[in-house]
Amino acid sequence: MVTTTVGKGLVLGAVTLSLLAVPAQAAPQQARPRTAGLPAPDTAGLRAVLRATVAKGAPGAMARLDDDGTVYKAVQGVADRGTLRAIDTADRFRVGSVTKSFSAVVLLQLADEHKLSLDAPVNRYLPGLLPDDRITVRHVLSHRSGLYDYSNDMFAKSVSGFEAVRNKVFTYRQLVDLSLKKARTNAPGAAYSYSNTNFVVAGMLIEKLTGHPVRTEYENRIFKPLNLKDTFYVHPDTGIPGRYTKGYLTPDTAGAALVDATRQTVSWAQSAGAVISSAHDLNTFYSALLGGKLTSAARLAEMERFTPIDSTTAYGLGLRRRTLSCGVSVYGHTGAVQGYYTYAFASKDGRRSLTAVANTSNNADVLGTMAGTLESAFCGKQAKARRDAAAVGWNAEWTDESL
């Protein structure tokens, strides 16, 4: 396995462990100090988590940690069950609900441009869309609107539900209408209730306020300024450009064969979950966001006004906060789309960032095990003993494919 890194690179392979030290410049230089206030990453622990993830049923798993100039990479298993090509941290993949952070950033930039008020009713900008004028933009971005998550019904059965929408193209309005057929979960602002419907509405707001497709706004406001060369929004195309890891859906029936779910429109999610990216690009994105490079300080502070979910997790505006076993809090988002689980988080200052991916979904054991990558990356050897049960707080709010 050949890998090139900037700074010091630690490459953890599917079969062997190789260590590379690649200087960023020809002249000798001192090693960078680790990110202030954080323990050194536990790279052996990171590899162990990925190994356990594959043992739980994922064909492959990968992680990339960017630590203030030092890069650590870990891989285990395969990207393609047919060819047995090893998974690689340079591979592209579907990020699922990590997309929500991209959508939130665009709307916060529009707020910075005085084109949007977070506390204005959604119906001010999209007249008649929602049945309650009390639902604000802030409620939508913080999952406190009470709008029912239409995807709960779509994927009550994993494989048949997926096959029914794999090649289907929805309009935003059709998805909102599916939600409005069901009773709302709570009054506006009364409670947190995760719902893809919220970020479908966010996509509608972006398109109405800019006059452009969300794809154009993602590209012009985030992808191009950050030079995210592996990040795309191709909806309704079904393919992933370039080199990618295939995604495999775990059926509900124990022992049934995994389903190759790589090709799909992801039209059921769109601005709630259809972005394609890489570990490098997601780390770059969250480092830039938390480092104050994508919004004003005031808008970032709005994004970081968190509603508690349980004792360890909270949600802001398209942004999650997770408090780890060592007391460190990390910021980012999780993602699940058929065939892929993603954890993408960074330290408060953005100087240390981690993206970890498993190429399966509908497997709670894999999802829970993958949470251990955060412990290894941000708590290091100070992390308490990792248990699958530690991820219960992450799992309880999700219907897996709506992460």
Side-chain angles (χ1 to χ4, degrees), residues 2 4 47 81-82 147 177 203 237-238 305 311 356 393-394 398:
V2 179
T4 302
R47 183 183 183 219
R81 297 177 72 232
L147 295 170
D177 287 346
D237 290 348
T238 61
R305 288 174 57 181
S311 62
W394 293 81
W398 301 329

Side-chain angles (χ1 to χ4, degrees), residues 62 79 85 87-95 228-232 234 239-247 262 275-282 340 342 357 359:
M62 66 165 111
R85 180 178 72 81
I87 198 168
D88 193 284
T89 56
D91 290 350
R92 296 165 181 169
F93 51 87
R94 299 191 184 280
V95 309
L228 304 183
K229 295 182 178 180
D230 295 319
T231 306
F232 306 90
V234 301
I240 299 177
R243 174 172 165 151
Y244 57 87
T245 284
K246 285 190 172 183
T262 310
V275 164
I276 293 162
S277 194
S278 68
H280 168 271
D281 280 9
L282 291 187
Y340 304 90
T342 302
V357 181
N359 60 343

Side-chain angles (χ1 to χ4, degrees), residues 212-282:
H212 301 138
V214 292
R215 176 179 185 171
T216 300
E217 295 303 309
Y218 290 157
E219 290 175 349
N220 291 342
R221 293 173 177 272
I222 304 173
F223 300 174
K224 292 177 181 178
L226 294 182
N227 197 29
L228 304 183
K229 295 182 178 180
D230 295 319
T231 306
F232 306 90
Y233 184 82
V234 301
H235 172 269
D237 290 348
T238 61
I240 299 177
R243 174 172 165 151
Y244 57 87
T245 284
K246 285 190 172 183
Y248 297 93
L249 173 61
T250 305
D252 296 325
T253 304
L258 299 179
V259 175
D260 185 341
T262 310
R263 297 192 68 88
Q264 56 171 303
T265 62
V266 201
S267 193
W268 66 268
Q270 300 189 49
S271 51
V275 164
I276 293 162
S277 194
S278 68
H280 168 271
D281 280 9
L282 291 187

Side-chain angles (χ1 to χ4, degrees), residues 57-401:
M62 66 165 111
R64 175 179 170 127
L65 176 66
D66 285 85
D67 188 17
D68 201 19
T70 299
V71 178
Y72 302 90
K73 300 177 182 180
V75 298
Q76 190 77 27
V78 300
D80 186 325
R81 297 177 72 232
T83 66
L84 300 183
R85 180 178 72 81
I87 198 168
D88 193 284
T89 56
D91 290 350
R92 296 165 181 169
F93 51 87
R94 299 191 184 280
V95 309
S97 283
V98 176
T99 302
K100 291 178 171 65
S101 292
F102 288 88
S103 295
V105 165
V106 173
L107 286 177
L108 289 168
Q109 289 181 352
L110 290 171
D112 272 330
E113 296 163 12
H114 306 290
K115 297 176 181 177
L116 172 76
S117 170
L118 293 174
D119 293 309
V122 169
N123 283 348
R124 175 184 297 180
Y125 307 107
L126 298 168
L129 177 68
L130 302 181
D132 193 328
D133 286 340
R134 295 176 298 167
I135 298 174
T136 67
V137 177
R138 188 185 303 276
H139 291 150
V140 164
L141 293 181
S142 60
H143 292 297
R144 295 185 300 122
S145 68
L147 295 170
Y148 178 78
D149 190 347
Y150 59 84
S151 65
N152 291 344
D153 299 327
M154 281 184 176
F155 306 119
K157 293 184 178 180
S158 63
V159 175
S160 61
F162 168 61
E163 294 296 355
V165 300
R166 180 198 281 262
N167 295 305
K168 193 167 184 177
V169 177
F170 294 92
T171 65
Y172 283 130
R173 188 59 191 251
Q174 285 173 327
L175 295 174
V176 172
D177 287 346
L178 288 174
S179 170
L180 296 181
K181 290 179 180 178
K182 296 296 185 75
R184 280 174 277 161
T185 56
N186 51 262
Y192 169 91
S193 182
Y194 191 90
S195 174
N196 281 303
T197 309
N198 289 313
F199 279 80
V200 168
V201 173
M204 296 178 77
L205 285 166
I206 289 169
E207 296 197 348
K208 180 64 178 292
L209 292 169
T210 66
H212 301 138
V214 292
R215 176 179 185 171
T216 300
E217 295 303 309
Y218 290 157
E219 290 175 349
N220 291 342
R221 293 173 177 272
I222 304 173
F223 300 174
K224 292 177 181 178
L226 294 182
N227 197 29
L228 304 183
K229 295 182 178 180
D230 295 319
T231 306
F232 306 90
Y233 184 82
V234 301
H235 172 269
D237 290 348
T238 61
I240 299 177
R243 174 172 165 151
Y244 57 87
T245 284
K246 285 190 172 183
Y248 297 93
L249 173 61
T250 305
D252 296 325
T253 304
L258 299 179
V259 175
D260 185 341
T262 310
R263 297 192 68 88
Q264 56 171 303
T265 62
V266 201
S267 193
W268 66 268
Q270 300 189 49
S271 51
V275 164
I276 293 162
S277 194
S278 68
H280 168 271
D281 280 9
L282 291 187
N283 284 356
T284 299
F285 168 65
Y286 279 114
S287 290
L289 172 60
L290 293 163
K293 297 178 181 178
L294 288 175
T295 69
S296 68
R299 295 292 81 75
L300 180 58
E302 296 276 9
M303 199 174 197
E304 294 176 345
R305 288 174 57 181
F306 292 99
T307 299
I309 300 170
D310 55 35
S311 62
T312 60
T313 58
Y315 203 92
L317 302 183
L319 189 70
R320 291 188 184 277
R321 184 185 69 202
R322 170 75 172 180
T323 302
L324 304 176
S325 67
C326 59
V328 169
S329 290
V330 292
Y331 304 79
H333 217 288
T334 40
V337 64
Q338 291 88 356
Y340 304 90
Y341 283 137
T342 302
Y343 286 80
F345 285 82
S347 58
K348 184 68 167 63
D349 59 7
R351 290 172 60 190
R352 182 180 296 182
S353 53
L354 170 87
T355 294
V357 181
N359 60 343
T360 195
S361 65
N362 196 40
N363 184 324
D365 288 341
V366 167
L367 179 61
T369 300
M370 286 288 287
T373 60
L374 298 176
E375 295 282 340
S376 295
F378 295 96
C379 290
K381 293 182 179 180
Q382 296 179 17
K384 296 177 181 177
R386 301 175 188 90
R387 300 170 291 121
D388 286 353
V392 167
W394 293 81
N395 298 340
E397 71 200 78
W398 301 329
T399 56
D400 194 65
E401 307 304 349

